[in-house]
Amino acid sequence: QKEVEQNSGPLSVPEGAIASLNCTYSDRGSQSFFWYRQYSGKSPELIMSIYSNGDKEDGRFTAQLNKASQYVSLLIRDSQPSDSATYLCAVVPSGTYKYIFGTGTRLKVLA
Amino acid sequence: DAGVIQSPRHEVTEMGQEVTLRCKPISGHDYLFWYRQTMMRGLELLIYFNNNVPIDDSGMPEDRFSAKMPNASFSTLKIQPSEPRDSAVYFCASSGTGASYEQYFGPGTRLTVT
């Protein structure tokens, strides 16, 4: 079983719609969760971090965490073509400082 | 802040040659991470340091790979001898202490071994 799982996509949404990206993880003791955006040929860029159950909003981005169900999601409102990228979920398992990355979901926002 | 700096940005070398990748973390960060990214395997952690000390090198693929951090502002990842299957993008990232654990990535080094 993979430690962090994401649907590889591509997830296609029309411009202006809400894009919903999901991630599940296996270590129930994990405490820190991150979303990165990676454009083709570029390095991962941190866009959201979340540590507590519930929602965290930052501009058009909302991260949602449910530790009981072991999933974390990212919502992108009013999606723009410039949001087209691969989104990586990262989880920090208990007792460590290292990230475990998912394989990423490729998002395509259609103009 | 200049962010994480990596050099070179591109490296093309022949099989059997030694390759050295360099990284300067964000000033004040005391964790440094080396990753490798390929289409097949995604983003893999190779090794990470805390206060210049290697903490976990379980991701280093084999003895041909070695990493050092002689001081808080510099780290190297060396491959000797290099092989075509080492071709990948190598990222360095750094983070501070505390509850955030937020990692910031450098631009990466694209390595091609022919």
Side-chain angles (χ1 to χ4, degrees):
Chain A
Q1 181 188 6
K2 291 183 180 178
E3 295 183 72
V4 178
E5 295 205 44
Q6 296 181 253
N7 188 316
S8 62
L11 171 67
S12 295
V13 300
E15 183 175 359
I18 295 175
S20 178
L21 306 164
N22 299 310
C23 171
T24 59
Y25 59 94
S26 59
D27 185 334
R28 186 170 288 278
S30 299
Q31 297 294 325
S32 304
F33 308 86
F34 306 89
W35 283 99
Y36 285 78
R37 176 176 63 199
Q38 187 174 24
Y39 293 112
S40 180
K42 301 295 186 182
S43 59
E45 173 192 8
L46 178 66
I47 54 172
M48 289 288 287
S49 58
I50 187 166
Y51 306 98
S52 304
N53 278 329
D55 295 0
K56 179 182 178 183
E57 187 175 316
D58 184 0
R60 295 187 296 113
F61 298 101
T62 299
Q64 299 176 318
L65 175 60
N66 184 321
K67 291 184 179 180
S69 299
Q70 295 175 242
Y71 83 78
V72 57
S73 62
L74 179 71
L75 301 179
I76 306 174
R77 290 182 299 281
D78 188 23
S79 296
Q80 301 297 310
S82 59
D83 295 325
S84 298
T86 296
Y87 289 80
L88 299 165
C89 171
V91 174
V92 180
S94 55
T96 180
Y97 277 86
K98 66 182 184 182
Y99 285 14
I100 306 298
F101 279 90
T103 53
T105 298
R106 191 156 65 97
L107 173 67
K108 298 176 72 172
V109 180
L110 307 173
Chain B
D1 198 321
V4 177
I5 299 172
Q6 291 186 248
S7 65
R9 296 291 305 275
H10 302 273
E11 177 81 35
V12 180
T13 191
E14 292 183 348
M15 182 174 62
Q17 296 298 305
E18 178 179 293
V19 175
T20 299
L21 311 181
R22 297 172 176 80
C23 175
K24 176 179 169 57
I26 292 172
S27 178
H29 281 186
D30 46 12
Y31 283 87
L32 184 139
F33 305 80
W34 281 102
Y35 292 89
R36 177 173 68 177
Q37 188 174 42
T38 61
M39 289 293 292
M40 292 295 295
R41 301 176 67 91
L43 195 58
E44 304 174 278
L45 177 67
L46 301 177
I47 185 171
Y48 79 95
F49 295 82
N50 176 223
N51 291 324
N52 314 335
V53 176
I55 302 300
D56 185 340
D57 65 354
S58 59
M60 296 286 263
E62 48 197 277
D63 291 346
R64 297 184 298 106
F65 286 69
S66 63
K68 294 182 179 180
M69 192 165 186
N71 58 62
S73 58
F74 184 67
S75 177
T76 60
L77 178 68
K78 187 174 294 186
I79 308 172
Q80 165 65 6
S82 58
E83 297 183 2
R85 60 190 168 127
D86 302 329
S87 297
V89 181
Y90 291 80
F91 291 108
C92 176
S94 70
S95 71
T97 52
S100 69
Y101 305 139
E102 294 180 351
Q103 289 186 23
Y104 296 90
F105 282 74
T109 295
R110 182 174 295 277
L111 174 65
T112 303
V113 183
T114 60

